[in-house]
Amino acid sequence: MAGGGVVSGPSGKHYEGHVTLFVALACIVAASGGLIFGYDIGISGGVTSMKSFQRKFFPRLLNAHDRNTYCRFDDQVVQIFTSSLYLAGLISTFFAMWTTSHWGRRPSMLIGGIAFLVGSVLNAAAVNLAMLVIGRIALGVGVGFGNQAVPLYLSEMAPAKLRGALNIMFQLATTIGILAANLINYGTEKVDWGWRLSLGLAAVPAGILTLGGMFLPETPNSLIERSRHDEGKHMLEKIRGTPNIGPEFDDIVEASNAAKAIQNPLGNLFKRQYRPQLTIAILVPFFQQVTGINAIMFYAPVLFQTIGFGSDASLYSAVITGAVNVVATLVSIGTVDRWGRKILFYEGGIQMFVCQIAIAVILKFKLPLAIGSELSKGWAAVVVVLICVYVAAFAWSWGPLGWLVPSEVFPLEIRSAAQSITVGTNFLFTFVIGQAFLTMLCHFRWGIFLFFGGWVFIMTLFVFFFLPETKNVPIEEMVYVWKAHWFWKRFIGDEVYSSYPTDVEKHNNAKL
């Protein structure tokens, strides 16, 4: 299995190597961390819409017949069930920062897998709401450690030329997890204890990640960062499939030495020279969440019931959107290293914006507020199509790129700290959206789609003006991209990177 060849970075150095079968298998197993994330996103909304689950934990939902169309599921306790996982993930990611940096990427994946196993058992066996929420918190710890380690692992194992495609395997696994959850919910909805099966099957992807944490190789970057240079060099030769890894090895060692000189990576992240990376670490995951995608994926069955679908039909529609999500992510894998990151951001942003405006207009004029009112079948079908088109746009743009771009722009000396900021920001706003969406839907009504559409417009402008293209740029040479950017170059002084050439404007690979 080969691909790649020779990569020339902005500094003119050549990195040799290709995608070996060894590294491909390692990345596939590591990407199973995305299955955990995706399975949880897909499973929570489905079980929340099940009558047997509502009777056990949220009986108030069964008596909400006096509420208007948009408010029938507005319940803070229901939203706590969904969002508690992400609050736990937010807190745990800062512990994962330490383990990822000091112990390696692989131990963090192992901790994440074990925590998720514990959470899935607690959820499947839950007898009261407290046990259910404790299980969700354990799941959050697992997701926090997994999302901290896996994107870094994939970025460091992949050769620069194919880093985008291999890193997007994490997002592909996430979409497969969402689809699997939707299919399982559809199959278990008719069984009184079906919700237990749905929640318990989270142990399957957790088991895969746990085994990966036990048997996967460590990345060369992590080995060298922990002063295991000989092992790191041997691993780099193994994953690149060539002994000619001198320039890449030297760059990793140089970056590692710079990292060791930093005593407080999290504090140093706030220094002026890291302002571009800090901005990306915060704004990209924030923008990813305010596309509204997780609101739709969390509560897809609930959302479809709100606009008039029955329980069966709502779960079936969620399966359709899950399938679209998987297929569209495959499009991203095939194009991200050929077309670049920014073109996918542009196209996806425009497509999401148009779909959200169209959905808002349809709901405004075609969905009455009266209790029990529904869309006509024709207009309901149009809404499903628009949501699918919206999901497809997200799946080949902000979905995978929201994880890829932050993971590839951080220098080694701040990489674990910056990745923690990225994951923490993602979890923070996933928690906020998960906790607030049903209430926002109740009060904003059809305007909720205008709210998210406005943010999509803003983030597309941000990409145009402030996000440089990172296609085919080796991670250790990403500094040249920032030094060539019209805005960010003012923060990157030559004295900070005196060992690097300064005439980066000559290099065509650092295109804006």
Side-chain angles (χ1 to χ4, degrees):
M1 183 181 216
V6 177
V7 176
S8 180
S11 67
K13 296 180 182 179
H14 295 285
Y15 288 2
E16 294 191 26
H18 54 268
V19 180
T20 62
L21 179 62
F22 176 77
V23 76
L25 291 175
C27 288
I28 288 172
V29 175
S32 66
L35 287 175
I36 288 178
F37 194 38
Y39 189 85
D40 179 77
I41 290 173
I43 212 70
S44 55
V47 297
T48 301
S49 70
M50 294 181 185
K51 299 299 183 185
S52 57
F53 186 76
Q54 292 175 9
R55 279 194 298 271
K56 181 72 174 177
F57 300 106
F58 309 110
R60 290 198 310 176
L61 293 181
L62 299 174
N63 302 316
H65 303 301
D66 57 340
R67 300 181 181 181
N68 71 43
T69 299
Y70 291 99
C71 297
R72 65 177 75 173
F73 291 100
D74 180 19
D75 189 294
Q76 286 298 309
V77 180
V78 173
Q79 293 173 108
I80 287 173
F81 162 71
T82 298
S83 61
S84 57
L85 180 149
Y86 300 97
L87 185 59
L90 167 63
I91 296 170
S92 66
T93 190
F94 292 98
F95 293 95
M97 174 188 71
W98 191 91
T99 61
T100 302
S101 178
H102 290 77
W103 294 353
R105 287 41 166 163
R106 195 181 71 176
S108 289
M109 289 190 282
L110 178 60
I111 294 170
I114 292 172
F116 209 85
L117 276 171
V118 171
S120 62
V121 171
L122 288 173
N123 275 179
V127 295
N128 53 47
L129 184 60
M131 189 173 177
L132 192 69
V133 172
I134 291 171
R136 294 285 293 176
I137 291 171
L139 295 177
V141 173
V143 171
F145 274 83
N147 283 22
Q148 167 74 9
V150 171
L152 289 182
Y153 187 92
L154 295 173
S155 288
E156 293 174 350
M157 291 292 280
K161 188 175 180 64
L162 295 175
R163 187 177 62 245
L166 288 178
N167 197 289
I168 287 175
M169 289 172 62
F170 176 77
Q171 179 65 18
L172 177 63
T174 300
T175 63
I176 292 173
I178 293 171
L179 176 60
N182 289 333
L183 287 169
I184 289 168
N185 282 335
Y186 184 70
T188 61
E189 194 267 338
K190 296 295 185 183
V191 183
D192 190 58
W193 48 268
W195 62 269
R196 294 189 184 275
L197 183 60
S198 292
L199 296 175
L201 285 175
V204 175
I208 296 174
L209 186 64
T210 302
L211 291 174
M214 294 171 63
F215 298 110
L216 283 178
E218 189 55 88
T219 71
N221 307 64
S222 179
L223 291 169
I224 293 169
E225 185 181 13
R226 291 176 287 133
S227 301
R228 296 159 64 178
H229 287 207
D230 290 342
E231 292 178 63
K233 186 174 184 180
H234 175 72
M235 182 57 62
L236 189 60
E237 291 175 349
K238 190 171 184 179
I239 66 175
R240 297 293 179 257
T242 176
N244 302 320
I245 46 84
E248 185 174 6
F249 177 76
D250 291 342
D251 281 349
I252 296 174
V253 170
E254 188 172 6
S256 176
N257 291 335
K260 290 174 183 175
I262 306 266
Q263 297 300 315
N264 181 10
L266 192 59
N268 276 273
L269 183 57
F270 293 90
K271 289 186 176 180
R272 179 180 173 83
Q273 64 261 35
Y274 300 123
R275 197 70 50 78
Q277 293 93 332
L278 179 62
T279 302
I280 297 303
I282 294 174
L283 286 186
V284 168
F286 166 74
F287 284 145
Q288 187 190 54
Q289 290 310 305
V290 293
T291 60
I293 187 64
N294 275 346
I296 290 177
M297 288 301 179
F298 286 159
Y299 300 115
V302 170
L303 182 63
F304 286 126
Q305 282 192 38
T306 295
I307 62 176
F309 288 73
S311 180
D312 271 358
S314 66
L315 289 170
Y316 183 68
S317 298
V319 170
I320 294 174
T321 58
V324 169
N325 201 10
V326 173
V327 174
T329 303
L330 292 172
V331 173
S332 185
I333 289 176
T335 58
V336 67
D337 289 315
R338 184 181 310 165
W339 297 349
R341 284 62 164 151
K342 295 189 71 167
I343 189 67
L344 294 178
F345 273 129
Y346 295 151
E347 196 286 330
I350 294 170
Q351 189 169 317
M352 285 191 291
F353 178 78
V354 171
C355 289
Q356 285 168 320
I357 299 303
I359 293 170
V361 171
I362 291 172
L363 296 184
K364 163 64 176 173
F365 294 104
K366 298 298 179 180
L367 180 62
L369 286 178
I371 298 170
S373 60
E374 300 178 353
L375 281 174
S376 66
K377 288 185 178 180
W379 284 112
V382 172
V383 169
V384 171
V385 170
L386 286 170
I387 288 178
C388 286
V389 175
Y390 160 82
V391 168
F394 176 86
W396 61 54
S397 61
W398 279 95
L401 300 182
W403 291 106
L404 168 62
V405 171
S407 73
E408 65 184 1
V409 301
F410 306 136
L412 185 61
E413 64 266 25
I414 60 166
R415 190 168 300 158
S416 290
Q419 181 69 6
S420 291
I421 295 292
T422 295
V423 176
T425 303
N426 189 290
F427 282 143
L428 173 62
F429 288 99
T430 303
F431 167 76
V432 171
I433 296 296
Q435 186 64 33
F437 175 71
L438 295 179
T439 301
M440 291 171 66
L441 180 64
C442 178
H443 290 85
F444 287 17
R445 300 172 183 172
W446 52 271
I448 190 70
F449 291 97
L450 296 182
F451 172 79
F452 289 127
W455 280 112
V456 170
F457 180 77
I458 292 171
M459 67 185 70
T460 304
L461 290 179
F462 173 83
V463 169
F464 181 80
F465 288 108
F466 298 109
L467 187 67
E469 181 57 72
T470 57
K471 181 184 73 170
N472 291 346
V473 181
I475 293 177
E476 310 309 332
E477 298 193 9
M478 201 64 69
V479 61
Y480 299 115
V481 175
W482 300 113
K483 293 176 78 173
H485 190 271
W486 72 272
F487 180 79
W488 298 119
K489 64 183 179 182
R490 70 192 68 184
F491 297 98
I492 311 294
D494 287 338
E495 70 281 358
V496 177
Y497 298 99
S498 57
S499 61
Y500 293 105
T502 58
D503 55 341
V504 296
E505 288 81 4
K506 298 178 181 179
H507 299 289
N508 292 329
N509 284 351
K511 294 179 181 178
L512 298 180

